[in-house]
Amino acid sequence: MQKIERIAQLRDFLRPHRERRLGLVPTMGYLHEGHLSLIRQAAKECEQVVVSVFVNPLQFGPGEDLDRYPRDLERDQKLAGEAGADILFTPGVGEMYPNGAKTTVRITGLTDRLCGASRPGHFDGVATVVSKLFHIVEPDRAYFGQKDAQQVAVIQQMVQDLNFPVEVVSCPTVREADGLAMSSRNVYLSPEERKQAAILYKTLREATREREAGRLCRAAEAVQFIRERLEKAEGLLIDYVEVLSYPELEPLDRLDGDRSIAAVAVRLGSTRLIDNVIWPQEEGTRCTSP
Ligand code: PAF
């Protein structure tokens, strides 16, 4: 596998292979099974796979964890190669934002809720860096995890609105044995917090069962059901619990019509955790610009 830091060098490297189907897996590194499942999926479907590792300062707010975000490029290179990546693209901040970020991409509406409300500017940072990566790599397909369901919705919207010729593939959340969604940020959890963290998916699963049994028919009831259980967990602070239409992220009344998302964000000590389930459950989605 080739490790490339410069945009010009990456373009030169990819130019002779443009007829090959190219997959991109954008990451911020410190790869875990969730990332590796995206890389494996990309390797199955594409002839060449680029994995980008870039901790994007633009998507971190003041006081967030930019400085302590875990990094281990050597390990990432080994894991990405074993999972089927051909190129690891590892630009520095100066390479990606040589003039700062004077031009940014903003998606309205979809970014007003959930993490967009709790982390102002976060999705502008995500959309900006992903659109830069799309321009630099020019992938046929780009792979994202459904754990960041709002991110997937935002990127799908951006791809449609800006006519990026790329298919966005969202892949199922990969979980630890106790259900905790894999995340690079899980390393921040103390052993006690790590045990507590399993409550997130356990509660979402209970709500899913209640919904499937026809005992949760309205979004407000589902929110209350999830909230009540999370509020009982010691040391856990709720940021949000919302049940919305998906991928539109609009308020909902009844749960028996449109596809919906039950999404939660909590704080356990200094760690912010998010998780979600899509109702009805699905295997992942695809979307291309019109
Ligand atoms: O999901 C992530 O790791 C990041 O938000 C992404 C898509 C790599 C953009 O920096």
Side-chain angles (χ1 to χ4, degrees), residues 42-234:
K44 231 187 265 169
E45 299 183 354
C46 303
E47 288 150 282
Q48 199 157 37
V49 176
V50 176
V51 174
S52 62
V53 173
F54 178 62
V55 182
N56 174 32
L58 221 59
Q59 67 189 76
F60 289 78
E64 291 191 350
D65 57 342
L66 173 62
D67 293 337
R68 68 171 182 145
Y69 197 86
R71 292 159 166 90
D72 189 340
L73 213 44
E74 216 172 289
R75 181 172 157 275
D76 288 346
Q77 189 167 352
K78 180 172 176 295
L79 292 177
E82 285 168 3
D86 301 292
I87 300 156
L88 195 71
F89 177 49
T90 60
V93 175
E95 182 73 1
M96 287 298 272
Y97 301 116
N99 308 305
K102 296 196 176 81
T103 304
T104 57
V105 179
R106 164 167 294 184
I107 290 91
T108 56
L110 277 179
T111 56
D112 293 344
R113 296 177 180 278
L114 306 178
C115 292
S118 313
R119 303 181 67 190
H122 168 68
F123 286 113
D124 297 357
V126 170
T128 301
V129 81
V130 171
S131 62
K132 283 171 73 73
L133 289 167
F134 285 176
H135 283 304
I136 293 165
V137 178
E138 297 181 54
D140 298 289
R141 291 184 181 171
Y143 296 80
F144 298 88
Q146 193 64 34
K147 176 189 159 257
D148 297 304
Q150 185 175 19
Q151 173 168 279
V152 171
V154 165
I155 290 166
Q156 284 178 338
Q157 189 69 56
M158 178 183 85
V159 161
Q160 290 194 6
D161 291 349
L162 299 183
N163 301 92
F164 279 101
V166 58
E167 185 181 357
V168 175
V169 182
S170 84
C171 301
T173 303
V174 178
R175 299 181 178 280
E176 304 283 359
D178 64 358
L180 177 65
M182 292 207 181
S183 162
S184 305
R185 290 187 165 101
N186 290 350
V187 293
Y188 300 152
L189 296 167
S190 70
E192 194 46 44
E193 290 164 351
R194 172 63 194 82
K195 268 190 231 150
Q196 279 281 72
I199 185 82
L200 282 194
Y201 187 57
K202 182 169 175 276
T203 305
L204 290 172
R205 249 193 14 241
E206 281 170 12
T208 302
R209 277 199 291 269
E210 289 298 296
R211 181 191 165 275
E212 282 169 359
R215 288 191 288 268
L216 284 181
C217 301
R218 303 197 115 91
E221 290 166 3
V223 168
Q224 191 186 350
F225 180 94
I226 296 166
R227 241 183 201 283
E228 277 172 2
R229 277 151 186 81
L230 294 182
E231 275 166 0
K232 285 192 197 126
E234 209 178 305

